[in-house]
Amino acid sequence: MKVLVIAPHPDDEILGVGGTIAKHVESGDEITVCVVTKGVRPLFSEEFVEKSREECRAADRFLGIKETLFLDFPAVMLENVPRYELNDRFVKVIQDLCPDIVYIPHRGDMQLDHKMAASAAMVALRPKYKHKVKKILSYETMSETGWDVPNAGNEFVPMVYSDISGYLEKKLKALEFFTTQIQEFPSPRSIEAVRALAVYRGSMMNMRAAEAFGVIRELV
């Protein structure tokens, strides 16, 4: 089975789907991560960008991800990219890879890059193209999900729980590669906070640890 994880920024794939990715890999599934944006000047130095990308490659290799794609759209400035250009790139990625399952960020996330990546992904995931994806799930991202203006449209509603009891430690070790991103507790981008969310999601299903997802579409 082919799996595509769309990550607005390096590390989103681990924060939201890291344990489930490890499960997919152990099951023999083929995983591709598509990182949508790249930091650009004057907000990010070239040294910072290259270091964060190498951290991403290392973390993805550690989990057994087959390939990490970088689309190079400008981070924190994604709204300046013509919509047709962003949509077309997503269509090309999905039609070239032909994944069975696609994980996308929650559209109600605070960060605009997350919202726009989710929207562009849904344009590309319309079932009018030659390849039709069987399942589309949205994932939550610590420090982004749940911080936007509270309303029904922004709320993350868990519908599917992936048991990562045996994979949580691997997820956390993958996160440790991101020295440019991980912060000290009580920051939501700390190892402790990510562990706490996994334990909380697990307890909702009487499991030791879980990742939660929203169901957007499934072909049965």
Side-chain angles (χ1 to χ4, degrees):
M1 184 165 62
K2 292 184 178 181
V3 178
L4 172 64
V5 181
I6 294 174
H9 313 102
D11 84 350
D12 287 328
E13 76 278 17
I14 311 298
L15 286 167
V17 200
T20 302
I21 287 173
K23 282 179 66 176
H24 278 300
V25 170
E26 188 172 272
S27 297
D29 297 333
E30 184 180 292
I31 316 296
T32 301
V33 167
C34 178
V35 178
V36 179
T37 67
K38 175 183 181 179
V40 295
R41 291 184 179 276
L43 297 176
F44 304 94
S45 68
E46 292 180 8
E47 292 77 15
F48 177 87
V49 171
E50 187 48 47
K51 181 172 175 54
S52 64
R53 287 198 161 190
E54 187 48 47
E55 291 170 352
C56 180
R57 295 185 190 100
D60 290 358
R61 285 194 300 267
F62 173 75
L63 284 184
I65 291 165
K66 178 189 175 185
E67 184 178 16
T68 304
L69 305 174
F70 295 94
L71 299 188
D72 291 347
F73 289 109
V76 203
M77 291 183 279
L78 202 53
E79 64 272 21
N80 296 326
V81 176
R83 279 187 298 164
Y84 75 87
E85 185 178 336
L86 186 62
N87 296 345
D88 287 351
R89 287 291 297 277
F90 274 80
V91 171
K92 187 176 189 314
V93 167
I94 291 164
Q95 293 302 307
D96 285 350
L97 292 174
C98 297
D100 301 293
I101 301 176
V102 176
Y103 294 91
I104 72 172
H106 173 53
R107 196 178 182 280
D109 284 357
M110 180 70 173
Q111 228 281 0
L112 188 56
D113 289 351
H114 286 227
K115 296 178 187 292
M116 295 191 66
S119 294
M122 289 308 299
V123 170
L125 288 164
R126 289 175 294 181
K128 71 173 192 174
Y129 299 105
K130 182 178 180 180
H131 175 72
K132 296 178 179 62
V133 172
K134 296 176 182 177
K135 184 183 293 187
I136 308 166
L137 300 172
S138 63
Y139 61 86
E140 56 185 338
T141 308
M142 292 293 285
S143 82
E144 302 296 351
T145 306
W147 275 11
D148 206 342
V149 177
N151 59 52
N154 289 337
E155 186 68 20
F156 178 77
V157 181
M159 301 175 189
V160 171
Y161 294 81
S162 173
D163 185 355
I164 62 166
S165 302
Y167 305 92
L168 176 57
E169 296 308 319
K170 190 158 191 176
K171 170 177 178 162
L172 298 178
K173 286 181 181 177
L175 275 177
E176 290 175 356
F177 283 92
F178 290 94
T179 60
T180 60
Q181 305 296 328
I182 295 302
Q183 301 169 7
E184 295 295 321
F185 187 78
S187 166
R189 282 184 177 264
S190 64
I191 296 297
E192 294 90 337
V194 174
R195 180 190 296 277
L197 177 62
V199 171
Y200 170 65
R201 291 301 187 200
S203 71
M204 296 174 74
M205 298 299 291
N206 198 26
M207 300 181 298
R208 297 184 66 84
E211 287 171 339
F213 303 97
V215 178
I216 296 176
R217 186 183 301 141
E218 184 173 8
L219 178 64
V220 296

